[in-house]
């Protein structure tokens, strides 16, 4: 198993007391699997992602990657956030090369790797532009290329398309699906969009309202190349919507 989340819980200190954000969670993620995390706002989706990334330590339990405990961030896990976090003083090429510079790779090798991934995300002709010259969707493609260029086996994505307009969001979902068919990464993807989750995931994990725990898991048995208007796609969407709405209703009671 690529990722093992074993009894992971997390609390935060709020006004002098411990407030639970996540109740104990057990989740196994297979190599090359795409898991989408869904649930009401504040249910702990991003907290769980940040624990897997090594940015946060769990209050209880542990995360294993390839049977090794996660104790902090690592090169085996690439992270893509909702904000693009690009360096404005670097070109597109320079941003994608940034992690490769830290690794100490030679300039020629860095250039070749960066170019490969820029081509993969459809930005080859834009390599010498600066972030200020790019649209939001293009900036997020740079962030994805940068994560892939470091050759992590795991990609962690925290609502990466959440700030984009609906049309751009669908285009990038299709791009990510296409890239996954080439790269075969293990992906943990946080989203608020049920439609996005059904389009991308092998399994959709629904969390309860805070403090979050796993409410339900849906195995999405659809073709790799998915049709958003297919009857089966709509059936999954409806079924997951019903389960998520139950938790959202609990939040507002």
């Amino acid at each position: 198993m690529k990722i093992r989340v074993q009894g992971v819980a997390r609390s935060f200190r709020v006004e002098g007391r411990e407030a639970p954000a996540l109740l104990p969670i057990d989740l196994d993620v297979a190599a090359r699997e795409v898991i989408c995390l869904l649930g009401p706002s504040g249910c702990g989706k991003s907290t769980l992602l940040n624990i897997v990334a090594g940015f946060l330590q769990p209050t209880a339990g542990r995360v294993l990657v390839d049977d090794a405990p996660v104790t902090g961030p690592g090169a085996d896990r690439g992270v893509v956030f909702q904000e693009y976090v690009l360096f404005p003083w670097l070109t597109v090429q320079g941003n994608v090369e940034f992690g490769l510079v830290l690794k100490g790779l030679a300039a020629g090798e860095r250039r070749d790797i960066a170019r490969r991934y820029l081509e993969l995300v459809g930005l080859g002709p834009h390599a010498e532009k600066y972030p200020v010259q790019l649209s939001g969707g293009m900036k997020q493609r740079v962030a994805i290329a940068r994560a892939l260029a470091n050759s992590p086996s795991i990609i962690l994505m925290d609502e990466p398309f959440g700030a984009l307009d609906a049309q751009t969001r669908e285009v990038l979902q299709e791009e990510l699906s296409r890239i996954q068919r080439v790269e075969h990464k293990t992906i943990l993807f946080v989203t608020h969009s049920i439609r996005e989750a059904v389009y991308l995931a092998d399994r959709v994990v629904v969390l309860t309202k805070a403090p979050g725990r796993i409410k339900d898991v849906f195995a999405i048995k659809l073709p790799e190349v998915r049709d958003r208007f297919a009857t089966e796609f709509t059936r999954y969407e409806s079924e997951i919507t019903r389960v998520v709405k139950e938790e959202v209703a609990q939040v507002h009671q």
Side-chain angles (χ1 to χ4, degrees), residues 94-224:
N95 269 281
V96 176
E97 284 189 25
F98 184 77
L100 306 176
V101 173
L102 298 181
K103 282 184 171 182
L105 270 62
E109 188 176 2
R110 294 198 309 264
R111 183 181 60 251
D112 290 346
I113 292 171
R115 287 286 178 167
R116 177 194 164 197
Y117 286 104
L118 285 172
E119 291 292 341
L120 187 65
V121 300
L123 288 179
H126 304 279
E128 300 309 317
K129 289 184 178 178
Y130 287 86
V132 71
Q133 298 173 278
L134 305 179
S135 68
M138 292 169 77
K139 289 176 183 176
Q140 199 58 292
R141 287 172 192 247
V142 177
I144 293 168
R146 182 174 59 186
L148 291 169
N150 290 303
S151 296
S153 56
I154 295 167
I155 303 287
L156 306 171
M157 309 185 85
D158 193 358
E159 296 196 62
F161 310 145
L164 303 173
D165 64 83
Q167 290 82 7
T168 304
R169 186 171 187 154
E170 286 198 356
V171 168
L172 285 190
Q173 290 164 9
E174 290 159 11
E175 284 292 296
L176 181 60
S177 177
R178 179 184 60 79
I179 290 166
Q180 176 62 0
R181 294 195 296 275
V182 175
E183 293 288 307
H184 304 297
K185 301 296 184 182
T186 303
I187 299 177
L188 192 60
F189 189 110
V190 168
T191 180
H192 276 100
S193 168
I194 294 164
R195 193 171 181 80
E196 182 168 77
V198 175
Y199 188 81
L200 293 172
D202 297 307
R203 283 189 295 154
V204 174
V205 176
V206 179
L207 300 185
T208 66
K209 68 181 180 68
R213 56 182 173 78
I214 292 177
K215 178 181 177 74
D216 215 336
V217 179
F218 295 86
I220 308 298
K221 299 185 185 302
L222 291 172
E224 276 191 332

Side-chain angles (χ1 to χ4, degrees), residues 32-99:
R32 302 185 171 194
E33 187 175 23
V34 180
I35 298 282
C36 283
L37 299 176
L38 277 173
S41 294
C43 72
K45 301 184 295 294
S46 294
T47 297
L48 179 57
L49 190 92
N50 282 320
I51 290 171
V52 176
F55 299 146
L56 284 176
Q57 293 301 309
T59 307
R62 64 178 184 166
V63 176
L64 303 175
V65 171
D66 291 329
D67 296 324
V70 169
T71 57
D76 56 347
R77 282 154 287 143
V79 185
V80 180
F81 299 101
Q82 182 170 338
E83 282 73 36
Y84 318 117
V85 202
L86 302 181
F87 300 115
W89 61 89
L90 293 177
T91 63
V92 166
Q93 175 91 19
N95 269 281
V96 176
E97 284 189 25
F98 184 77

